Amino acid sequence: MFVIAPVAAASDAPVEAEPARRPRRLRPQALVPYLYLVPAVVFLMVWTYSPLVQTFSLSMFDWNLLPTSRKTFVGAGNYTQVLQLPELHTAIANTVLYIAAFLVFSLVLPILIAILSRQVTGRVRTVYQALIFVPFLITPVATSAVWRWLFAEQGVVATVLASFGVHMPNVFRDADLAIWAVIVIVGWQMLGFGVLVVAAGFAGISPEYGQAASLDGAGAAMILRRITLPLLSPTIVFLALMTILLAAQWTYPIIDLLTQGGPANSTTNIYYLLYQFGFQNFDVGISAAAGVVFFLGFGIIALVFLELQERLSFYDN
């Protein structure tokens, strides 16, 4: 038996219209957070992106840097010319050698020193790390003066080597030794910065992981390889990226003060080459084109590192 229920006359009931949405008013208070960013954005545009746009523009012209001289549009001719220069190939090869050598000073040695310094307790550890960090605070001019005296033909290093029957020539005039002298000097300065960053990374690792692994029978080497180094990986990736991007820049003042890129371009790097093109040869177009090439190259390296950062880093979540 079926019962037919009466259907409510819903369709006949009047439907109330939805109230019209009022347009949202932009309150002045909502703009306050963006106003804090305005000074930083303005300075970023003036000091970073404006020179970058000007560099791209100058790379298309032939100009000798004199305000009264005329700029001649050459298009991509500067890029074709700069890529064929042998000086550029030498500078790139030296820059790669600098980066590879500085990775030892900024990664390998700081990790070893930081591990050894963990055996020292109390304030002595702070004093020990501070003594290693001090060279990073010394100006390049003072550093160059001290190391020029040490590496002189009658200097301390030559005297010590002479006592062992080894004759040391003037390293800054030797095409085979000059680049290694620059690497030692800049690496000596970078070592303190690397030790400080690695020590900060170690401080963020909880010792409970190592203690728990030790209770399970893990040795010191296994704890270092399986626990400490993986947790230190964000710091290692950061130092590697900083070394690749800034090694040429850190080397520039020492090269300018001690070797001026010589002898025979054996110590020049990409930053010093840009200076030579622009302010010694007064070829602004070539200098700007080389700068754009290096900017794109290092930009690609930075993007690759940022993309791989999540894969190479292990976080304690």
Side-chain angles (χ1 to χ4, degrees):
M1 182 178 181
F2 298 94
V3 177
I4 300 176
V7 179
S11 57
D12 299 335
V15 179
E16 297 183 358
E18 294 184 358
R21 292 184 178 179
R22 296 180 179 178
R24 298 180 61 182
R25 293 181 179 178
L26 187 61
R27 295 178 301 175
Q29 292 81 0
L31 298 176
V32 172
Y34 300 97
L35 294 179
Y36 288 114
L37 299 176
V38 170
V41 173
V42 169
F43 280 109
L44 194 65
M45 296 298 292
V46 171
W47 297 112
T48 301
Y49 292 105
S50 177
L52 189 61
V53 172
Q54 292 181 11
T55 302
F56 273 103
S57 175
L58 290 174
S59 67
M60 301 290 180
F61 290 90
D62 184 13
W63 187 39
N64 61 3
L65 203 60
L66 293 178
T68 56
S69 64
R70 181 181 179 183
K71 297 178 184 176
T72 304
F73 182 77
V74 296
N78 286 330
Y79 291 94
T80 306
Q81 184 178 352
V82 76
L83 292 176
Q84 296 175 350
L85 289 175
E87 293 88 348
L88 180 75
H89 303 158
T90 303
I92 292 176
N94 289 342
T95 303
V96 173
L97 179 59
Y98 280 130
I99 292 173
F102 291 153
L103 285 174
V104 176
F105 289 94
S106 64
L107 281 180
V108 180
L109 292 179
I111 291 175
L112 294 176
I113 293 174
I115 291 174
L116 293 176
S117 67
R118 297 182 73 184
Q119 308 301 323
V120 182
T121 59
R123 294 183 178 180
V124 180
R125 180 194 298 181
T126 305
V127 174
Y128 177 69
Q129 293 175 344
L131 290 176
I132 297 175
F133 183 69
V134 164
F136 187 71
L137 303 177
I138 301 176
T139 62
V141 175
T143 300
S144 301
V146 171
W147 282 94
R148 181 187 288 275
W149 172 71
L150 290 174
F151 281 148
E153 290 185 83
Q154 304 299 327
V156 175
V157 178
T159 303
V160 172
L161 292 178
S163 63
F164 293 98
V166 179
H167 172 69
M168 188 188 76
N170 190 329
V171 294
F172 298 116
R173 296 179 181 176
D174 191 307
D176 296 326
L177 297 178
I179 190 170
W180 296 106
V182 175
I183 288 173
V184 169
I185 296 170
V186 180
W188 172 72
Q189 281 197 303
M190 292 174 58
L191 184 63
F193 175 74
V195 171
L196 185 68
V197 175
V198 172
F202 273 122
I205 299 176
S206 174
E208 295 178 356
Y209 295 112
Q211 295 170 359
S214 178
L215 292 176
D216 291 338
M222 182 175 290
I223 293 174
L224 175 66
R225 183 164 51 91
R226 296 291 183 87
I227 297 176
T228 305
L229 290 181
L231 291 175
L232 196 64
S233 56
T235 303
I236 295 175
V237 173
F238 168 75
L239 278 177
L241 180 61
M242 292 288 292
T243 303
I244 293 173
L245 297 182
L246 300 179
Q249 187 174 350
W250 290 338
T251 313
Y252 171 83
I254 301 299
I255 294 175
D256 188 43
L257 291 168
L258 292 177
T259 65
Q260 288 81 45
N265 291 329
S266 61
T267 59
T268 189
N269 67 1
I270 55 174
Y271 271 80
Y272 198 75
L273 191 68
L274 296 179
Y275 167 76
Q276 288 179 316
F277 285 159
F279 299 100
Q280 288 186 354
N281 301 336
F282 297 102
D283 198 336
V284 178
I286 293 294
S287 179
V292 171
V293 171
F294 297 144
F295 170 76
L296 295 177
F298 282 110
I300 293 173
I301 293 174
L303 290 176
V304 170
F305 256 84
L306 292 176
E307 185 67 24
L308 295 177
Q309 188 175 13
E310 294 297 330
R311 302 180 184 180
L312 299 177
S313 301
F314 180 81
Y315 296 97
D316 180 16
N317 294 326

